[in-house]
Amino acid sequence: MFFSSIRSSLRRTTSLAHTRPFSHTSRCLQAEILDKVIDSEGLSPTGRIRNIAIIAHVDHGKTTLVDQLLRQSGTIKQLSPTEQLMYSGASTSSSSSSTTMTADSQIEDGFITRLMDSNDLERERGITILSKCTSIEYNGHLINIVDTPGHADFGGEVERILSMVDGVALIVDATEGPMTQTRFVLSKALARGLKPLVVLNKADRPTSRPQQVESDLFDLFATLGATDEQADYPLLYASAKQGWAQQDPPVLQTASESLNPSLVATSTTMAPLFDLIMSHVPPPTHLSRTGPFSMLTVQIEADPYVGMLYLGRVQSGTLRIGDNLVALNSEGKKVGDGKVKKILGRRGLDRVEKDVAGAGEIVSIAGIKCVAGGSGVNMTLVHPDGWGATGPEPLPTTPIDPPTISIHVFANDSPLAGREGTKLTSQVIRDRIYKEAETNVALTVLPGPTSESLELRGRGVLHLGVLLETLRREGFELSVGPPKAVMIPCPEKNPEGTPRGVWLEPIEECTVVVREEYAGGVVQKLTMRKGDMRSYEAGDPEEGWVKIVMDVPARGLIGYMAGEFGNDTHGQGTINHIFKGYEEFKGALDTGRNGALIAMTSGESSGYSMAPLQARGTLFIHPQTQVYPGMVIGESSKTSDLYINPCIKKQLTNIRAAAADEKIVLSSPRVMGLEESMAYMGDDELVEVTPNSVRLRKKDLEGAKRGKVAKTSPKK
């Protein structure tokens, strides 16, 4: 009976090879084969499982590539014209789905795009913030795919998921080549011994330069100390936008009716990438299903019906519904236990219930209850029996890079506090932030300077800004202090010869790609911020782009990346940074910021009063904005602070004045968002964050005390 089922599966595999790739018949046969190979216990053989992570620099096409894999594998269906017209986020979202489709999702060729970017902030900003897992079926195999962020501020999301994959797909832009985050994610993958496969994405663009990018990529592998096996990586050329991948670069052709050359691909599907994943990524056959159960949690999800879900890859043994598990922290101490209520696997974008899970599978487990402050990622779930005399031990975890930027968070105490938010007290804010720290591994929470404040440490202003933006959307009101670099004392044993007793500060490797005519101004600004140039590479003279690499203190980038860089480059440039290491403190930085225009009265601003104040500097507010004494409403044209009254109303009398009919003309104010306000504020200022407003204010709202502060702008 057993051999007959094997022969039946082989016959179906042979018929599958003769079907049209990704057709409906092919997809049905794939699902049928996958169901046939499941053993009597309901487990998929480890030889038919592939776990892979998609890693790349920001905006190199990871999420778009995953979209194409989901489409062409038949995991998501193409919407009919009627469904596209009737489509709404409320009708397609489901509590059982791992990815939520919102009403602002874009539809392309009948398919919903950016499926993995389910968070509202991800869709608004156009970046991936959280790592997410999905799965597809291909030729009777189950491929688990993890989409990871590409921004350096969210590198902790990449570091924690590499423990549950057996291979990585490195996506590199065929025009830009390896960038700062490419180096970071690749170094983490190589350090874990993973064998990467490389995809040169956007190879269809006329500006692509595959030969130079391949050379730079090989140099990067050598620089990072890749082994001979890791350096012998396979390479594909692809266009995630057009949905094809192939082994050879596209051919340059010129149409007869047009003189413009175009790159033509020989492939029309992602089948070469699927085949490369199957042949290059090893299956988790090294994991045993005979011993006791163990799993390292890498992500926590909340479900309104079953509670907390702990996601991870089963490291050993098997798990069944009703099993009793124990939760251990990294030190081996028991932090929770419980009986397994649900085992949820992945089938496309949906969670599917399972009765049993074995080593090598990626599943979510419900039913574990942890003590207060004990739940979180990097927690080991084990079966208490079968470990011998020594007992269960925690699984090893990957060290996380230290945070580089810190801020202080307080409860909002401004005169406008409590008008917009519903969660106002310091205790409620404290509980929410500590809950966030359980799942955000790159976030460190420490006691603040007062009993009612907290110090938050993260990877960058964007990392902390996303957290604050999430809190304000949940109804919180809080005040945020200026971001500072996390300083550490020089260690006692210092082989580099740095004197003991000095402070070390984080240094960022900053990569700037900018038009050549603006490069001088950017270099000057970064040099003023104690930057040290490492390389200056000029590209094609006809295109006029240059690539600059500089080592800049983290505190020097805080106030420059938010908005000043965009003004210096007129929007024609990109700047990326990655943590390099700690070096000796380089002294005070003069960011060149002028003084502030400060409101001296409460009320509603008026255009009549603001019109003559425009000569004093740049305003940050519109007319009819509520202000209060001590609120920063603009930047002065001088280095000293200036107190102004923007609330004067025009006196309405029956006496006609000479200037009665003069037209009031107001320039557009400089409206700053949350991250830009955090980067702009000085040492004596705070940012007031509420659900509907972001205001800049002085710490001390009393004018008499504030007048004793130095009038010059603070140096960061």
Side-chain angles (χ1 to χ4, degrees):
M1 187 68 180
F2 174 76
F3 290 103
S4 62
S5 63
I6 294 295
R7 286 194 296 269
S8 176
S9 297
L10 291 176
R11 285 195 299 269
R12 292 185 180 277
T13 305
T14 304
S15 63
L16 177 63
H18 295 284
T19 60
R20 182 168 54 88
F22 310 118
S23 64
H24 176 73
T25 304
S26 177
R27 294 195 298 269
C28 293
L29 290 174
Q30 290 178 25
E32 189 173 347
I33 292 173
L34 188 61
D35 293 336
K36 290 291 185 180
V37 299
I38 294 177
D39 59 19
S40 59
E41 294 185 348
L43 294 174
S44 301
T46 54
R48 290 185 174 270
I49 299 176
R50 299 294 188 275
N51 300 319
I52 186 171
I54 309 295
I55 60 176
H57 183 76
V58 62
D59 201 29
H60 278 201
K62 299 181 303 301
T63 304
T64 306
L65 182 69
V66 175
D67 280 351
Q68 286 293 346
L69 298 179
L70 291 171
R71 294 179 192 179
Q72 298 191 18
S73 62
T75 304
I76 59 175
K77 71 171 186 176
Q78 187 175 14
L79 302 178
S80 65
T82 304
E83 290 175 327
Q84 295 181 37
L85 294 175
M86 299 177 60
Y87 170 74
S88 65
S91 62
T92 55
S93 62
S94 173
S95 60
S96 62
S97 175
S98 60
T99 301
T100 304
M101 305 175 188
T102 58
D104 59 351
S105 301
Q106 297 182 358
I107 298 178
E108 181 180 287
D109 298 331
F111 291 98
I112 301 174
T113 62
R114 295 175 57 197
L115 284 167
M116 303 302 289
D117 289 347
S118 58
N119 189 286
D120 291 340
L121 289 176
E122 291 177 324
R123 292 193 173 274
E124 292 175 10
R125 297 169 182 262
I127 60 175
T128 301
I129 297 176
L130 302 174
S131 296
K132 304 174 191 67
C133 181
T134 184
S135 66
I136 59 176
E137 299 167 5
Y138 181 73
N139 285 353
H141 293 75
L142 183 65
I143 304 177
N144 295 313
I145 301 176
V146 183
D147 185 22
T148 63
H151 201 285
D153 283 21
F154 309 107
E157 293 287 324
V158 182
E159 293 171 284
R160 72 180 185 181
I161 61 92
L162 292 180
S163 61
M164 68 175 186
V165 297
D166 303 298
V168 295
L170 179 65
I171 314 300
V172 182
D173 192 306
T175 300
E176 293 186 354
M179 299 293 287
T180 52
Q181 186 69 358
T182 309
R183 174 188 292 268
F184 172 78
V185 296
L186 181 59
S187 65
K188 297 298 181 181
L190 296 178
R192 293 195 61 88
L194 301 176
K195 295 194 305 179
L197 61 92
V198 179
V199 178
L200 290 188
N201 193 26
K202 306 179 184 180
D204 59 312
R205 294 188 175 182
T207 57
S208 63
R209 45 190 186 97
Q211 295 181 350
Q212 182 61 41
V213 171
E214 290 180 38
S215 177
D216 296 342
L217 193 58
F218 185 81
D219 293 342
L220 179 59
F221 271 80
T223 303
L224 297 178
T227 63
D228 294 340
E229 187 178 12
Q230 290 174 330
D232 188 18
Y233 52 84
L235 187 142
L236 289 179
Y237 303 87
S239 172
K241 193 73 173 178
Q242 297 182 0
W244 56 263
Q246 60 187 38
Q247 296 182 352
D248 301 321
V251 182
L252 183 65
Q253 294 183 355
T254 303
S256 57
E257 65 276 4
S258 175
L259 299 178
N260 297 326
S262 60
L263 295 173
V264 180
T266 58
S267 174
T268 58
T269 67
M270 285 287 180
L273 179 55
F274 282 109
D275 296 334
L276 183 58
I277 292 175
M278 298 304 304
S279 61
H280 187 71
V281 177
T285 53
H286 62 286
L287 303 179
S288 174
R289 294 182 173 178
T290 58
F293 169 82
S294 65
M295 186 186 83
L296 182 68
T297 63
V298 299
Q299 190 172 347
I300 297 179
E301 304 168 339
D303 188 275
Y305 301 103
V306 298
M308 303 302 294
L309 295 172
Y310 298 89
L311 173 69
R313 184 180 69 170
V314 181
Q315 194 70 16
S316 63
T318 57
L319 180 68
R320 294 175 176 82
I321 298 293
D323 287 354
N324 292 316
L325 298 182
V326 175
L328 305 176
N329 61 11
S330 58
E331 299 176 355
K333 298 181 180 179
K334 180 180 176 181
V335 294
D337 55 15
K339 181 179 291 186
V340 178
K341 297 180 179 179
K342 294 280 186 179
I343 302 176
L344 301 176
R346 294 295 194 280
R347 184 65 64 92
L349 298 177
D350 299 327
R351 301 192 189 109
V352 293
E353 295 190 16
K354 299 169 61 71
D355 296 328
V356 61
E361 295 185 276
I362 297 178
V363 294
S364 298
I365 301 175
I368 309 302
K369 296 181 180 179
C370 296
V371 298
S375 60
V377 297
N378 292 336
M379 181 179 65
T380 304
L381 300 179
V382 297
H383 195 281
D385 302 326
W387 296 95
T390 58
E393 295 182 358
L395 295 173
T397 60
T398 303
I400 302 297
D401 286 347
T404 58
I405 301 297
S406 70
I407 60 173
H408 291 106
V409 175
F410 313 85
N412 186 19
D413 60 351
S414 78
L416 301 181
R419 297 191 179 185
E420 300 176 2
T422 57
K423 302 172 183 178
L424 312 174
T425 64
S426 59
Q427 185 61 42
V428 174
I429 297 174
R430 181 188 301 270
D431 294 341
R432 176 62 179 87
I433 291 178
Y434 274 111
K435 183 179 179 181
E436 178 70 21
E438 295 175 356
T439 59
N440 194 337
V441 294
L443 179 68
T444 302
V445 183
L446 300 173
T450 64
S451 60
E452 297 184 352
S453 63
L454 291 175
E455 180 183 358
L456 307 184
R457 294 185 176 183
R459 290 288 181 85
V461 175
L462 179 60
H463 177 213
L464 298 174
V466 167
L467 170 60
L468 298 176
E469 182 68 28
T470 303
L471 294 180
R472 65 179 293 208
R473 296 189 180 201
E474 295 177 0
F476 285 86
E477 284 194 12
L478 51 138
S479 298
V480 183
K484 303 286 186 180
V486 178
M487 311 287 285
I488 62 173
C490 181
E492 296 182 359
K493 296 181 180 180
N494 183 22
E496 298 181 0
T498 304
R500 297 181 182 179
V502 303
W503 287 91
L504 305 180
E505 65 173 331
I507 303 297
E508 303 280 336
E509 181 182 303
C510 184
T511 302
V512 181
V513 178
V514 66
R515 300 288 297 182
E516 188 173 6
E517 56 265 30
Y518 308 128
V522 174
V523 172
Q524 181 183 6
K525 290 290 185 67
L526 293 179
T527 303
M528 292 173 56
R529 289 162 169 78
K530 307 297 182 181
D532 186 12
M533 183 180 294
R534 294 301 181 188
S535 65
Y536 185 98
E537 301 178 8
D540 190 348
E542 296 182 358
E543 298 180 3
W545 292 91
V546 296
K547 180 180 178 180
I548 308 168
V549 179
M550 300 185 68
D551 292 344
V552 187
R555 56 196 173 96
L557 293 175
I558 292 175
Y560 184 67
M561 294 183 58
E564 196 171 345
F565 174 77
N567 295 332
D568 292 342
T569 60
H570 296 261
Q572 302 186 60
T574 59
I575 181 170
N576 297 282
H577 63 93
I578 187 172
F579 174 71
K580 181 180 181 181
Y582 280 90
E583 296 182 7
E584 186 175 350
F585 181 68
K586 298 184 180 298
L589 304 180
D590 187 4
T591 58
R593 182 196 139 173
N594 291 330
L597 298 179
I598 309 170
M600 56 188 300
T601 184
S602 299
E604 186 179 85
S605 61
S606 65
Y608 175 78
S609 178
M610 294 171 60
L613 296 178
Q614 294 180 119
R616 300 292 186 178
T618 303
L619 297 177
F620 296 161
I621 62 173
H622 291 276
Q624 300 179 350
T625 300
Q626 289 292 331
V627 300
Y628 54 83
M631 178 176 168
V632 177
I633 61 173
E635 180 179 346
S636 176
S637 57
K638 299 181 180 180
T639 57
S640 59
D641 293 342
L642 181 64
Y643 296 89
I644 59 177
N645 184 2
C647 302
I648 300 176
K649 306 294 183 180
K650 183 178 180 180
Q651 298 298 324
L652 301 179
T653 65
N654 57 357
I655 301 176
R656 184 177 183 88
D661 297 328
E662 288 185 359
K663 184 178 181 181
I664 298 176
V665 179
L666 295 177
S667 301
S668 298
R670 178 185 173 184
V671 180
M672 296 187 293
L674 179 56
E675 286 93 13
E676 191 174 0
S677 298
M678 291 172 58
Y680 176 82
M681 65 174 157
D683 293 338
D684 63 336
E685 296 171 352
L686 295 175
V687 173
E688 179 186 354
V689 182
T690 66
N692 300 327
S693 306
V694 176
R695 305 182 185 96
L696 195 61
R697 47 160 286 193
K698 291 294 183 179
K699 286 184 180 179
D700 188 358
L701 297 180
E702 298 182 18
K705 294 181 180 180
R706 190 171 57 253
K708 300 178 182 179
V709 181
K711 294 299 184 181
T712 56
S713 60
K715 297 181 179 181
K716 296 184 179 180

